[in-house]
Amino acid sequence: MSTSTNPLISVPDLRAAHAAGAAPTLIDVRWDPAGPAPVEEYRAGHLPGAVFADLDTDLAAPAGTGGRHPLPTGAAFQAAARRLGVRRERPVVVYDRGDATIAARLWWMLRYFGHPDTRVLDGGYRAWVRAGLPTATGDEPAGQVGDVTCVPGGLPLVTAGEIPELARHGVLLDARAGQRFRGESEPLDPVAGHIPGAVSAPTTDNNDGEGLFRTPQELRERFTGLGVGPGTAVAAYCGSGVTAAHEVLALGLAGFTAALYPGSWSEWITDPTRPVATGAG
């Protein structure tokens, strides 16, 4: 499986890589705040050879002023990535239950910290099962320890201090559900609403009915309709910097470069002096 600029890999292409003896490092990173324990769901069924990454401990620092899922330090993430078997010269494929809203976080982190060949399995575990391919249960045996070196800076990000200027002169996309953006409902954070100047752009609109990403043309039309164009400064945020990575990935498929605000809404509201907006605009 060769290095590709495409951040996605299809089920048939992943299967072909296995058949050709070029299997990537597979990492399962499903998670749902209201669902079953992620590791137990992984043990009940996963792609053969896939190891499990825990969003809360492997892909985030402890919650605090940086939000619910702050980015870990390079050293902390390097230790987790090596434990997961990530190697410099071996491709990585990450997946979740289906729509990549969680897997995109690990894709973004590996790319941000310098791994050059990381892709998301389009459609995730559900697409693999729909194709009638074999699955495994239980825990995978420990494999070869990784040797990746994690150096930040491989993808753009923005900080809370840079957000107001970007919202004024660029496009700031809010990847959460519309009712959370409008402040009608907030199931996870203590304050409802959105960052002033942001545009509602739920990640659910990046996928089709089967959890696959929409075509690049469809995504380009979507984001153009939200105000994104050539040369536009674009950033995405969500509740805690997880599903916003899905937005960054979708923007990349559409041909646009976007920054991630890792702390997102859960960090923004930790400072009471930062403004909060509600409603549709």
Side-chain angles (χ1 to χ4, degrees), residues 3-266:
T3 300
S4 170
T5 56
N6 188 344
L8 302 179
I9 185 170
S10 67
V11 166
D13 285 347
L14 178 58
R15 184 184 184 189
H18 276 271
T25 299
L26 279 174
I27 305 178
D28 184 309
V29 65
R30 64 187 106 181
W31 180 86
D32 184 340
V39 69
E40 294 306 321
E41 188 178 353
Y42 160 82
R43 288 169 178 156
H46 57 265
L47 272 64
V51 295
F52 176 74
D54 188 288
L55 171 65
D56 294 320
T57 58
D58 294 326
L59 309 186
T65 57
R68 284 186 282 110
H69 290 110
L71 283 184
T73 64
F77 182 61
Q78 178 173 292
R82 289 185 174 185
R83 181 180 55 76
L84 294 167
V86 178
R87 301 187 66 79
R88 292 188 297 267
E89 304 301 325
R90 188 181 183 190
V92 176
V93 170
V94 301
Y95 72 91
D96 57 25
R97 186 182 297 128
D99 60 10
T101 51
I102 308 303
R105 164 75 172 217
L106 181 52
W107 166 82
W108 189 92
M109 289 179 65
L110 284 167
R111 291 296 311 278
Y112 174 74
F113 282 111
H115 193 279
D117 193 355
T118 299
R119 284 185 273 178
V120 171
L121 178 62
D122 200 14
Y125 181 70
R126 287 174 179 158
W128 184 267
V129 172
R130 280 199 306 269
L133 297 174
T135 60
T137 58
D139 291 313
E140 294 288 342
Q144 187 178 22
V145 175
D147 64 359
V148 67
T149 299
C150 292
V151 179
L155 290 177
L157 58 75
V158 291
T159 64
E162 296 168 320
I163 284 292
E165 181 74 9
L166 190 144
R168 283 193 297 269
H169 300 292
V171 176
L172 178 62
L173 299 176
D174 185 316
R176 299 172 300 164
Q179 63 267 29
R180 293 181 69 192
F181 174 87
R182 295 186 295 272
E184 298 166 359
S185 165
E186 183 44 68
L188 298 173
D189 294 305
V191 177
H194 61 266
I195 299 173
V199 177
S200 180
T203 54
T204 50
D205 291 342
N206 295 330
N207 296 94
D208 65 15
E210 293 190 332
L212 302 170
F213 277 90
R214 297 189 183 278
T215 68
Q217 180 59 36
E218 289 172 331
L219 290 169
R220 189 169 187 85
E221 290 173 359
R222 180 196 184 206
F223 291 121
T224 299
L226 294 172
V228 179
T232 305
V234 185
Y237 78 95
C238 56
S240 65
V242 176
T243 59
H246 188 280
E247 200 94 294
V248 170
L249 192 158
L251 282 154
L253 291 172
F256 301 116
T257 298
L260 177 74
Y261 172 26
S264 285
W265 181 247
S266 59

